[in-house]
Amino acid sequence: MDYDIAVIPGDGIGPEVIGETMKVLSATSKIFGFDLKFETLPYGAGYYLKHKEVLPSGALERLAGFKALLLGAVGDPRVPPGPLEQELLLALRFHFDQFLNLRPAQTYPNVPIPLGGNISIDIDVVRENTEDFYMGLGAPFSGSYTGDLAAGRGEYEFTSKVEIQVSPPRDCAFALGLLTQPAVERIAHRAFKLAEKRGENSLHVATKANALPQFYGLWDEWTAKTAKNYPNIKLKKINVDNLCYQLPRTPAEFGVILCPNLFGDIVSDLVSALTGGLGLAASGNIGDGLCMFEPVHGSAPDIAGTGRSNPLAAILSGAMLLEHIGQIPASSAVKQAVRDYLSGGQNFPYELGGETPFDQVGDLVTAKLMSQKYA
Ligand code: NAD
Ligand code: IPM
Ligand code: MN
């Protein structure tokens, strides 16, 4: 089997962690007898600064021809926040309608966790990935604003005419959030199905319907409707602020956590901290078209180039990619190799308390991969 895989290493530690991931994935494909044809694309801050555009025209259409996309991270101190995140990362999620952002996090042997002790945590954050306050609709204005706002998503177009006055005039900013019932229901179904697969008897849904009943109240209503299809799984509504309080206190009580886009982003960083760090947190952006696999973390400019990045989150995202393309035993082997490496308790990256530079970690995981017995 041959698979065309697009790779966008991106910025900062992105290329560091993706290089290690490609080492591990290439070794895996040799063991399991399939071919991963990587095509590395140069998009990110360097490309943007050179060409004055984030993506060339036709780039998204061309990406549609790949089996999957592996991404490192985007974001660079030379570029103000916004264009790379919105026109590259979010553009990919929206263009390909990758509505499910699946962010698994679990504790591993020998990985220090901030709570200390011997706690076992195994949480899947299910984040809606196309709506909420990520519509990109909004603007700064001074006193008044008049304009047309539009956004396209996989299954619909959103258009609006907005007229705002604030008097006496003052400098302002506004953002429009959007929730649509089909989008909330499809992500809720995914979360319930995952809870079923995990053998859970409950599922947490975290919103803020107390502060925004006219918005998140509808999310809660629609997810409660979906819940009727899953009588064996109890829907546990929780305010997202309370969730952030309860998670560090009783993390083992949580299994699948379903969130709207913005809260899901924030909760997944918290959950990653509780289980050992962003350098272990993998993710998949999944829909019916091209799917994208990337670590939860960003480009970490504070440590880029120092050797201190932990590539395990990217490597585990690579395992999610393998599962997605149907190479299930290969995916399991990568996850097992990461676990074996961590079980060894040695040669850890800086994030996990060691002094091993990132560019040895892929080799260490590959060595574990090679030493497994395969049928
Ligand atoms: P970040 O995730 O890049 O870093 C947060 C902290 O975690 C930093 O201290 C960093 O050093 C540490 N960290 C992250 N990944 C690590 C790893 N693999 N190993 C060891 N330590 C790691 O978040 P930030 O600082 O808020 O954002 C930096 C840039 O990345 C910004 O431009 C932001 O917009 C962008 N960003 C991009 C993505 C993405 O492309 N998916 C995700 C998040 C942030
Ligand atoms: C993530 C990131 C992005 C998000 C940013 C960079 C736009 O934080 O993938 O978690 O908010 O989704
Ligand atoms: Mn994030």
Side-chain angles (χ1 to χ4, degrees), residues 58-369:
L60 292 173
E61 290 72 15
R62 222 173 70 70
L63 278 167
F66 288 86
K67 184 74 182 170
L69 167 60
L70 179 68
L71 184 133
V74 298
D76 184 297
R78 293 170 296 169
V79 180
L84 296 169
E85 289 83 351
Q86 287 193 312
E87 294 167 44
L88 181 49
L89 181 71
L90 298 179
L92 285 162
R93 292 180 185 162
F94 302 154
H95 179 83
F96 292 106
D97 201 21
Q98 296 162 348
F99 64 89
L100 164 64
N101 191 193
L102 181 59
R103 297 184 149 187
Q106 55 177 283
T107 42
Y108 284 97
N110 300 319
V111 169
I113 58 171
L115 296 172
N118 220 353
I119 308 165
S120 174
I121 306 173
D122 179 3
I123 292 174
D124 281 297
V125 176
V126 172
R127 173 190 181 193
E128 201 288 323
N129 213 22
T130 64
E131 298 191 330
D132 197 19
F133 287 103
Y134 276 71
M135 298 301 293
L137 300 171
F141 65 98
S142 196
S144 67
Y145 177 91
T146 309
D148 294 333
L149 298 174
R153 290 295 182 266
E155 296 180 353
Y156 62 89
E157 294 293 320
F158 175 93
T159 55
S160 64
K161 292 188 186 307
V162 177
E163 209 183 306
I164 307 175
Q165 272 92 38
V166 177
S167 58
R170 53 170 66 193
D171 287 343
C172 305
F174 78 97
L176 273 182
L178 186 74
L179 298 173
T180 67
Q181 188 175 6
V184 175
E185 286 183 356
R186 70 178 171 175
I187 194 69
H189 276 294
R190 288 301 188 105
F192 275 103
K193 292 212 166 80
L194 180 60
E196 270 182 349
K197 192 169 149 200
R198 287 175 50 124
E200 304 283 347
N201 51 27
S202 69
L203 168 114
H204 286 89
V205 183
T207 65
K208 216 26 217 174
N210 53 352
L212 285 173
Q214 66 279 63
F215 192 66
Y216 293 119
L218 277 296
W219 173 289
D220 284 357
E221 198 180 307
W222 296 331
T223 49
K225 190 175 152 234
T226 308
K228 295 207 170 77
N229 298 288
Y230 304 89
N232 298 328
I233 298 177
K234 188 174 162 39
L235 176 78
K236 293 189 176 166
K237 276 198 286 180
I238 184 166
N239 289 319
V240 69
D241 49 350
N242 184 22
L243 175 70
C244 292
Y245 176 70
Q246 300 295 343
L247 267 172
R249 291 173 69 86
T250 54
E253 298 295 306
F254 294 88
V256 179
I257 303 175
L258 169 64
C259 298
N261 208 339
L262 182 58
F263 301 146
D265 175 45
I266 297 163
V267 167
S268 44
D269 271 36
L270 173 57
V271 169
S272 90
L274 296 175
T275 50
L278 277 168
L280 279 166
S283 91
N285 299 272
I286 296 160
D288 298 329
L290 180 77
C291 299
M292 171 167 79
F293 299 84
E294 51 160 349
V296 168
H297 63 73
S299 56
D302 55 337
I303 57 162
T306 66
R308 288 173 171 263
S309 59
N310 178 2
L312 293 172
I315 292 169
L316 290 167
S317 304
M320 292 177 79
L321 183 153
L322 291 175
E323 184 179 343
H324 170 71
I325 65 175
Q327 293 292 341
I328 314 287
S331 169
S332 304
V334 172
K335 287 190 268 189
Q336 188 58 45
V338 168
R339 185 166 280 280
D340 290 348
Y341 158 63
L342 293 170
S343 300
Q346 282 181 354
N347 305 316
F348 275 13
Y350 289 81
E351 187 193 41
L352 305 183
E355 291 183 357
T356 301
F358 75 88
D359 59 356
Q360 292 179 26
V361 175
D363 302 322
L364 290 161
V365 173
T366 302
K368 293 296 180 189
L369 197 60

